Amino acid sequence: MIEIIGNKVVLKGATNKDIEELYFWKFEEKEQEAKKWNGPYIPEEKMTKDEYQKDWEKEIFPDIPASLVIKCEGKPIGYVGSYWVDKNTNWLETGIVIYDSNFWNGGFGTEAYELWIDYLFTSTDIHRLGMSTWSGNIRMVKVADKLGMKEEARIRDARMVNGEYFDAIKMGILRKEWEEIKGI
């Protein structure tokens, strides 16, 4: 099983217990604070636990999972993920969600996302990684910028959250840029 150890978090393949806890945070937890930031403009249909379990079995390459659990102090607090935008140009979209708000604003997400990006670039021949968000998610934009992603597109007033329009933002980083940042 994959295990990527950072200073604050560990990224790991999901156990059944992890998936149960993440399912709770994603679909059953009452406050749903993370949904206020993670694509609140996208209607989300509830999955069954079996469907959610199957979703965790997806791979982007053989033996390279599409998602890993973010653990802190031994408990799952969120996950990092990716999906194909274009296999012909080796382009993945990436993302991160930390459900437990006790772990917001402490560098946990930044470290997890950096570990994920580094893992994807060092474990595959991927050419580019991207991420999409909305202009109201200032923390995600700052994390992506801090890790070297560049704003590549801003679509004005393309997202509506709580009756207010926000810009859609796309950011990305190329392998050569990541390698330069890392001194590889």
Side-chain angles (χ1 to χ4, degrees):
M1 182 179 281
I2 295 169
E3 182 176 62
I4 305 165
I5 301 171
N7 294 319
K8 296 180 177 204
V9 299
V10 174
L11 304 183
K12 291 183 83 166
T15 65
N16 288 338
K17 186 174 189 259
D18 295 336
I19 292 170
E20 287 274 332
E21 288 193 47
L22 292 176
Y23 184 87
F24 165 79
W25 282 106
K26 184 174 178 76
F27 295 111
E28 297 173 340
E29 192 264 337
K30 287 186 172 56
E31 298 300 318
Q32 294 293 305
E33 283 299 312
K35 283 189 183 174
K36 294 176 184 174
W37 304 103
N38 185 37
Y41 42 83
I42 301 170
E44 184 175 62
E45 289 187 34
K46 186 173 180 179
M47 298 175 148
T48 67
K49 286 184 181 178
D50 286 341
E51 290 169 331
Y52 190 63
Q53 172 79 42
K54 281 189 184 1
D55 210 37
W56 274 91
E57 296 169 8
K58 291 180 183 173
E59 294 182 329
I60 51 172
F61 289 101
D63 300 321
I64 305 289
S67 301
L68 291 174
V69 176
I70 304 168
K71 288 193 158 193
C72 187
E73 301 166 3
K75 71 178 198 164
I77 62 169
Y79 71 93
V80 290
S82 60
Y83 62 89
W84 284 106
V85 174
D86 189 343
K87 288 185 179 183
N88 296 314
T89 60
N90 285 319
W91 174 11
L92 284 174
E93 193 80 350
T94 62
I96 176 173
V97 179
I98 295 186
Y99 291 112
D100 188 338
S101 61
N102 292 312
F103 294 92
W104 292 358
N105 300 316
F108 299 94
T110 301
E111 183 180 82
Y113 200 39
E114 181 176 10
L115 291 170
W116 182 233
I117 290 170
D118 195 58
Y119 171 73
L120 292 172
F121 276 132
T122 58
S123 301
T124 72
D125 64 350
I126 205 72
H127 177 68
R128 67 168 285 119
L129 296 173
M131 79 87 179
S132 299
T133 192
W134 57 296
S135 57
N137 193 350
I138 296 165
R139 289 185 306 228
M140 187 65 219
V141 172
K142 284 183 180 178
V143 166
D145 183 61
K146 185 177 187 176
L147 297 180
M149 287 189 164
K150 308 227 181 312
E151 184 174 313
E152 298 173 326
R154 179 178 288 262
I155 300 91
R156 296 173 300 138
D157 286 354
R159 301 295 188 202
M160 186 173 282
V161 178
N162 298 324
E164 184 180 346
Y165 284 103
F166 291 87
D167 297 348
I169 297 175
K170 297 200 64 66
M171 298 179 76
I173 190 164
L174 304 175
R175 172 183 291 282
K176 65 184 177 187
E177 294 167 335
W178 186 255
E179 290 173 348
E180 187 177 306
I181 289 167
K182 292 294 183 177
I184 299 172

